Amino acid sequence: MMKVVTANRLFDGEVVWLGAGGRWVEDLGEAHVLETKEAEAAALEEGAASADRQEVVDVYSIDVTVEEGMLIPVRFREQIRAAGPTMRLDLGKQARRRENAA
Amino acid sequence: MYRYDEFDREFVLARVAQFSDQVRRRLAGDLTEEQFKPLRLMNGLYLQLHAYMLRVAVPYGTMNAVQMRKLAHIARKYDRGYGHFTTRQNIQFNWPRLDETPEILSELAEVEMHAIQTSGNCIRNVTADHFAGAAADEIADPRVYAEILRQWSSLHPEFSFLPRKFKIAITGAPHDRAAVQVHDIGLQLARNENGETGFIVYVGGGLGRTPMVGRKVRDFLPEADLLAYTEAILRVYNLYGRRDNKYKARIKILVHETGLEELKADIEREFEAIRGGILTLPKDEVDRIEAYFAAPAFKVPGDERLFDAAIETMPGFADFARQNLNAHRQPGYTSLTISLKPIGGAPGDASAEQMEVVADLAEKYGHNEIRVSHEQNLVLPHVLKSDVPAVYQVLKEHGLAEANAGLVTDIIACPGMDYCALATARSIPVAQRISERFGTPERQKEIGDLKIKISGCINACGHHHVGHIGILGVEKKGKEFYQITLGGSADEKSSIGEIVGRGFSYEEVVDAVETVVDTYLNIRNGEEEDFLQAYRRVGEAPFKEALYGTQ
């Protein structure tokens, strides 16, 4: 199994994933991949504690896979969450990535 | 149009202060998300896929230039430079930050706007015909009654915790442009034999996972009884509506499960108990509200030779004039639809710059009035025909002159999975691809009036059940899948579309729609028979045959 824990940041709604050391990251590539049930449960607990500190809301885990060395969510909905609206490539995380690449 | 009195102003400002404090307490940790969520929803603030979403009310779809400029300003300062006009005549911003929403609400309050009752299990923004106060076929202005209902329903203590949300729509004309029969309460203004104003009343219409056309409960409700009767309906619903199952909680289910006659009797009983009391509408109060909606000081008709000449000489103008103008009751005037459906565009989206262009046009040519239609377009309700060529020219320069009102590319689409946390499939890109497929003026003209409506989940925000062609996106084995319904309609002869057969993949669905359209073109009795008429004449058989072959 491969999972990551995700949430939305409380103050601005930004999609985030749980990275190394319990830090929330804005880029899925930096998320901490969970390979056992125990690791997933621990990460969800960490996320819940963060929610209790008013850092994030709606904490849950998602399935991910690796394609061409990149971390990709399995569900299409989560792929859109990780990128931005599919018909507005100038918006969301995908836009920032494009800017950075340019 | 309606202007706030002292009471309205204080009420909205108090609400802004209250919400600011709620946001502060949430960020400080004094409120949990569970406690805060219903509070933010009462102020129209959702959490969607990528960010928060703020839904701002545009009561009965009416606003002025200053308000539209404020929306443009908010789009630019707090959002990503655009807004999305909705099927409830409201506007949604897709990227606001929670910590900035109190500021946005303060800015809105400066121009008499707010986000109250745009969400939650209360009486939502009352919608009305977007040609209200202008249409040639109108009996009376529905906004007068929509405003009275707004004042009565705003934070109504008895109806703030209904079993589920509650939507009311009013049309002022026999031709229903407000889809009243698919609302919880639908009101159609009428005159009785004595020439008195009143309403035909429908109850229990709705879309969602159990679509139903509303049932008529009154042939004529006198004007004075509007609030007492509406309150009676709400009381019966509040008492008997189901609270055990969210999906069975709307009044349509109550009508269905109780039976029309019994429910009617319940409503009439409640009505008898409260009629003639404090809820009776005093005539002078109706007159007072009506004065707010008085027609502007119409000008003498201009030189219409300008209009006629433009038909001959201005590229694209003849199509625009044929498609985007609606007959006005005042000689020399017309109502002009500004399509927010450019070919290949996202239905209902407008940039901040486009909003400002519309505001300028409303001031210069439109007596400072703008409407949002439930079909996700904008309307200048009062424009001199002689000014239409000049308006068209400006619209054209800003990508707002698509001559497609009512045509195949004038598609209603919900935000779908590109934005919405509830969606199971995308809607906007499907609308965009259909729009591109049928986008040439010749093809659109050939097809004629055709309403396509797309929803990205079973909640049906894109009204797919009442599309002549409806498209419902679902998730099937991890893929987007689209079900097609045919023969739906949301006018005075409302009907729920029928599922034509198995669904189509994201890749296939546009071809399937084209097959349906081509089948119609083959079977119609001449150009005068539009899609819906043809479907009602022949039924689904030829469409089924064309889509799936002989089975």
Side-chain angles (χ1 to χ4, degrees):
Chain A
M1 71 169 244
M2 283 180 74
K3 286 185 183 274
V4 298
V5 166
T6 186
N8 288 76
R9 203 156 56 202
L10 175 67
F11 79 91
D12 65 352
E14 177 82 29
V15 175
V16 288
W17 298 270
L18 200 58
R23 194 171 52 91
W24 292 103
V25 296
E26 292 184 23
D27 192 330
L28 176 59
E30 295 170 30
H32 180 55
V33 179
L34 311 159
E35 295 183 342
T36 63
K37 283 259 171 238
E38 294 71 36
E40 183 192 4
L44 283 171
E45 215 164 283
E46 215 173 338
S50 170
D52 288 343
R53 294 192 299 272
Q54 289 71 244
E55 292 163 353
V56 293
V57 288
D58 282 357
V59 178
Y60 60 98
S61 64
I62 60 166
D63 292 312
V64 290
T65 177
V66 174
E67 276 177 31
E68 295 172 11
M70 298 266 286
L71 216 47
I72 311 274
V74 171
R75 280 190 71 197
F76 189 46
R77 174 187 197 271
E78 291 301 324
Q79 290 172 17
I80 294 175
R81 262 183 99 237
T86 63
M87 73 311 158
R88 284 293 301 266
L89 301 183
D90 60 324
L91 296 173
K93 293 172 187 293
Q94 58 199 356
R96 273 171 265 163
R97 279 203 292 275
R98 272 152 45 113
E99 263 170 38
N100 292 342
Chain B
M1 59 184 274
Y2 186 73
R3 294 181 59 85
Y4 279 14
D5 56 22
E6 279 309 304
F7 176 80
D8 292 313
R9 193 165 290 117
E10 274 171 33
F11 170 71
V12 172
L13 287 176
R15 192 57 184 253
V16 171
Q18 186 185 47
F19 188 60
S20 302
D21 191 49
Q22 287 162 353
V23 170
R24 186 190 59 72
R25 285 154 64 206
R26 174 70 188 107
L27 291 170
D30 298 337
L31 290 173
T32 65
E33 185 63 15
E34 203 185 340
Q35 292 166 328
F36 179 65
K37 191 174 172 183
L39 301 175
R40 72 166 153 76
L41 287 175
M42 281 179 207
N43 285 279
L45 189 65
Y46 289 71
L47 181 60
Q48 294 288 29
L49 275 194
H50 312 292
Y52 289 97
M53 178 271 279
L54 181 67
R55 184 181 292 152
V56 177
V58 182
Y60 31 89
T62 293
M63 67 178 137
N64 61 28
V66 168
Q67 291 172 321
M68 184 64 110
R69 280 198 197 97
K70 180 61 90 176
L71 295 176
H73 165 75
I74 287 167
R76 221 176 251 130
K77 183 170 175 192
Y78 303 97
D79 210 83
R80 304 283 162 92
Y82 71 107
H84 176 75
F85 289 97
T86 78
T87 56
R88 293 212 55 74
Q89 303 180 297
N90 292 324
I91 183 169
Q92 294 180 178
F93 293 106
N94 289 310
W95 307 89
R97 293 162 51 129
L98 173 62
D99 56 356
E100 289 184 346
T101 46
E103 221 175 302
I104 299 175
L105 293 182
S106 301
E107 292 228 26
L108 287 170
E110 287 170 17
V111 296
E112 306 188 349
M113 294 184 93
H114 58 77
I116 297 166
Q117 288 183 203
T118 59
S119 177
N121 294 335
C122 55
I123 299 168
R124 302 287 189 90
N125 182 32
V126 177
T127 52
D129 181 359
H130 43 272
F131 296 132
D137 59 353
E138 183 171 281
I139 290 168
D141 192 331
R143 295 172 302 164
V144 176
Y145 306 97
E147 173 55 28
I148 289 167
L149 286 167
R150 185 193 71 79
Q151 296 190 8
W152 160 79
S153 69
S154 290
L155 267 57
H156 192 306
E158 195 176 327
F159 305 135
S160 292
F161 294 94
L162 293 168
R164 197 79 181 84
K165 58 188 166 185
F166 202 92
K167 298 174 180 177
I168 304 176
I170 313 182
T171 179
H175 175 43
D176 176 10
R177 287 174 287 257
V180 305
Q181 292 180 24
V182 289
H183 280 74
D184 295 286
I185 294 179
L187 299 168
Q188 184 177 342
L189 274 152
R191 290 254 154 79
N192 66 6
E193 57 274 19
N194 301 325
E196 293 157 337
T197 305
F199 307 88
I200 302 167
V201 184
Y202 296 90
V203 169
L207 301 173
R209 64 187 66 209
T210 318
M212 289 187 189
V213 172
R215 308 287 297 274
K216 197 195 277 185
V217 291
R218 269 294 182 117
D219 284 313
F220 188 82
L221 176 73
E223 180 187 75
D225 292 331
L226 173 67
L227 292 184
Y229 196 78
T230 311
E231 181 137 324
I233 296 171
L234 261 302
R235 281 190 168 180
V236 169
Y237 169 56
N238 205 16
L239 188 60
Y240 298 118
R242 287 179 61 171
R243 292 172 190 267
D244 62 318
N245 182 341
K246 180 180 169 186
Y247 303 118
K248 294 186 189 294
R250 297 286 290 270
I251 195 172
K252 62 191 172 188
I253 304 292
L254 183 66
V255 174
H256 184 70
E257 289 184 350
T258 312
L260 182 66
E261 291 312 316
E262 191 182 332
L263 198 77
K264 245 166 81 172
D266 287 340
I267 295 168
E268 292 294 335
R269 209 174 304 119
E270 187 62 39
F271 176 56
E272 278 309 317
I274 56 177
R275 86 186 298 180
I278 192 163
L279 287 171
T280 303
L281 264 185
K283 186 76 187 105
D284 56 345
E285 183 60 13
V286 177
D287 292 345
R288 190 181 74 84
I289 302 283
E290 200 167 47
Y292 284 119
F293 296 98
F298 289 124
K299 300 174 199 163
V300 289
D303 185 354
E304 287 185 23
R305 281 173 302 181
L306 288 170
F307 182 91
D308 298 336
I311 297 262
E312 299 299 324
T313 58
M314 204 181 241
F317 186 74
D319 286 339
F320 184 85
R322 188 190 59 247
Q323 216 54 50
N324 290 33
L325 302 182
N326 193 67
H328 203 287
R329 63 187 166 93
Q330 179 73 11
Y333 273 80
T334 186
S335 298
L336 184 153
T337 297
I338 300 171
S339 168
L340 296 181
K341 321 288 175 64
I343 300 307
D349 277 9
S351 68
E353 187 217 9
Q354 287 176 325
M355 292 182 214
E356 284 163 350
V357 167
V358 173
D360 292 347
L361 286 172
E363 262 174 1
K364 192 164 176 193
Y365 299 107
H367 295 278
N368 196 21
E369 269 212 40
I370 302 162
R371 306 285 169 76
V372 183
S373 81
H374 87 272
E375 295 184 314
Q376 301 182 281
N377 292 315
L378 298 176
V379 169
L380 299 178
H382 313 297
V383 178
L384 271 174
K385 263 182 94 175
S386 53
D387 285 337
V388 175
V391 173
Y392 175 75
Q393 196 55 47
V394 176
L395 291 174
K396 208 170 170 182
E397 286 160 18
H398 295 89
L400 289 167
E402 204 62 58
N404 63 351
L407 296 180
V408 58
T409 58
D410 186 6
I411 301 169
I412 288 183
C414 72
M417 206 158 71
D418 284 296
Y419 293 101
C420 176
L422 298 175
T424 45
R426 286 174 293 168
S427 320
I428 296 170
V430 174
Q432 290 174 305
R433 286 164 58 220
I434 293 172
S435 170
E436 277 159 4
R437 180 70 64 93
F438 295 104
T440 65
E442 301 72 35
R443 183 79 162 136
Q444 297 201 59
K445 201 165 156 184
E446 180 196 18
I447 298 164
D449 288 351
L450 175 55
K451 293 183 192 295
I452 296 182
K453 303 179 197 258
I454 310 174
S455 305
C457 84
I458 197 154
N459 293 312
C461 296
H463 296 184
H464 65 278
H465 297 296
V466 289
H468 300 165
I469 300 176
I471 301 174
L472 165 64
V474 295
E475 185 183 341
K476 201 172 161 188
K477 293 179 188 155
K479 296 264 185 220
E480 294 164 296
F481 208 67
Y482 296 87
Q483 215 169 56
I484 292 182
T485 52
L486 299 177
S489 169
D491 58 9
E492 61 279 12
K493 291 184 204 142
S494 282
S495 55
I496 303 298
E498 294 161 34
I499 297 170
V500 69
R502 68 172 166 77
F504 298 89
S505 69
Y506 179 78
E507 290 71 28
E508 294 166 335
V509 64
V510 179
D511 287 340
V513 170
E514 187 160 38
T515 301
V516 169
V517 169
D518 285 339
T519 304
Y520 152 67
L521 292 175
N522 286 332
I523 60 157
R524 71 180 175 186
N525 284 333
E527 284 177 30
E528 291 71 38
E529 189 181 51
D530 66 27
F531 181 92
L532 189 61
Q533 289 166 338
Y535 180 82
R536 284 177 174 169
R537 177 171 56 82
V538 302
E540 64 176 13
F543 299 96
K544 228 177 164 120
E545 167 82 25
L547 284 169
Y548 307 108
T550 313
Q551 289 172 333

